Amino acid sequence: MTDEQYVDGLYGEDEQLVHTKKGIADRGMPDISIADGYGRLLTMLATMSGAKTALEIGALGGYSGICIARGLASGGLLTSLELKAEYAEVAKTHMTEAGFGDSVEYIVGDARESLVTLREEGRKFDFFFIDADKEGYPVYLEHAIALSNPGAIIIGDNILLRGRTTDPAKEGPSVKAVRSFNEQVARDDRLMSTVLPGYDGLAIAIVK
């Protein structure tokens, strides 16, 4: 038993999230939702920060969206960027089933273009979750900082890439991008941060 399995075993199954994972699997979508333990952390951090507006980059099937929405302040809104329209539809279905259908908006298309549009519109957010194509992580981080309200939280998932990030023999574009993202999170003077190595790694930063 791994440390992560032990910790997950302390908690009973979350029926809504189990249903969401089944819905993702039944549709043949990739099994890459955030780990259960980090899903709970998303809810906790959103709650602790008092976040009312959240931006998610990468919706997949709505698992992380539910976790974030659970922690948003009353009347809060999650804006979710998703490349694939069919994934956004699945996520919307699961969010609605979880009672958050009116608390989320989906923007379908290339996240880089959507982020530029959000900046042009003057949108600001209290909470960010980045879990999309890894080559885009450095770009997404810069956009998140620009779109942040003071004190906003920025979270990036899968920053260890199942061991590839720490393997010096790995030099692919995704690995290089994630390493750059991690280094900026750790060193950028605009951020206060930490990196958690459990599961597949999670970066957490607060915008000063």
Side-chain angles (χ1 to χ4, degrees):
M1 178 184 294
T2 66
D3 293 345
E4 289 88 350
Q5 289 170 331
Y6 166 75
V7 171
D8 286 338
L10 297 174
Y11 296 85
E13 285 193 336
D14 186 310
E15 292 184 7
Q16 190 66 58
L17 294 179
V18 169
H19 170 76
T20 297
K21 279 190 172 182
K22 183 177 185 302
I24 292 170
D26 287 349
R27 290 169 173 85
M29 296 166 65
D31 181 19
I32 54 173
S33 298
I34 190 170
D36 294 348
Y38 284 161
R40 291 188 292 270
L41 185 58
L42 286 183
T43 303
M44 289 180 62
L45 290 173
T47 301
M48 292 165 65
S49 68
K52 192 162 187 178
T53 54
L55 179 66
E56 174 185 51
I57 305 174
L60 191 64
Y63 185 102
S64 57
I66 293 170
C67 294
I68 295 167
R70 284 175 170 178
L72 293 181
S74 178
L77 177 68
L78 169 65
T79 300
S80 185
L81 310 184
E82 174 52 53
L83 179 64
K84 298 183 178 183
E86 60 270 29
Y87 285 9
E89 284 296 322
V90 174
K92 177 70 172 180
T93 295
H94 288 144
M95 289 286 288
T96 300
E97 291 171 347
F100 298 112
D102 295 331
S103 303
V104 62
E105 62 173 350
Y106 289 93
I107 301 175
V108 176
D110 188 318
R112 294 166 180 79
E113 297 175 6
S114 300
L115 289 162
V116 170
T117 300
L118 290 172
R119 290 176 68 171
E120 291 173 347
E121 293 173 350
R123 298 279 296 273
K124 293 291 182 178
F125 300 90
D126 304 317
F127 193 93
F128 299 82
F129 180 54
I130 302 170
D131 190 12
D133 63 291
K134 306 314 174 194
E135 290 182 43
Y137 268 40
V139 175
Y140 300 150
L141 179 58
E142 280 296 338
H143 279 298
I145 293 171
L147 288 162
S148 289
N149 285 319
I153 293 176
I154 301 173
I155 299 172
D157 194 23
N158 304 120
I159 51 88
L160 295 181
L161 295 175
R162 302 187 185 278
R164 287 185 291 148
T165 301
T166 57
D167 184 348
K170 302 296 184 182
E171 290 291 338
S174 293
V175 173
K176 288 182 177 179
V178 169
R179 285 175 183 155
S180 176
F181 172 87
N182 293 343
E183 289 162 8
Q184 183 174 351
V185 165
R187 300 171 186 172
D188 196 311
D189 290 338
R190 296 170 294 178
L191 305 174
M192 178 190 309
S193 70
T194 192
V195 173
L196 304 181
Y199 299 99
D200 195 29
L202 197 76
I204 305 172
I206 297 174
V207 180
K208 296 178 181 177

